[in-house]
Amino acid sequence: MNWYALSDLAILRELGSSLRQVRLNRNQSQQAVADAAGIDRATLSQIEHGRPTSLLTFVQLLRTLEQLDLLDSLVTKAEISPLAMARLAKKQRRNASPASPTPPPASTEW
């Protein structure tokens, strides 16, 4: 699906429809899912019809429907390229520096 071609409200409708389908596939009523998620049944109905909701409510529903793994694609980890890794390895110290000799005492004579 080309998400960029959709308006924000159309995306909400798609997400709501998907949540509804997951709920139906699990053979759960709106009331049962709403109770388990800690939200009102009317709120769930609105979400399933594409009405805006808070991110917290959306996460509660994903948890209740055991769909939290869908969030994996949203989380990015900082990856270091092999070239950058090689550069960092070059900069790491490999040996200790020898102890510096004590400087000669300063002479007061010219």
Side-chain angles (χ1 to χ4, degrees), residues 19 21-22 51 63 77 84 90 98 100 103 105 108-110:
L19 281 177
Q21 194 58 52
V22 169
R51 303 290 192 286
R63 182 180 305 280
K77 303 222 188 270
K90 277 186 176 181
S100 59
T108 57
E109 296 180 27
W110 285 77

Side-chain angles (χ1 to χ4, degrees), residues 46-63:
Q46 289 177 350
I47 293 167
E48 287 183 353
H49 285 91
R51 303 290 192 286
T53 188
S54 74
L55 188 56
L56 175 61
T57 302
F58 191 73
V59 170
Q60 288 170 313
L61 286 171
L62 289 178
R63 182 180 305 280

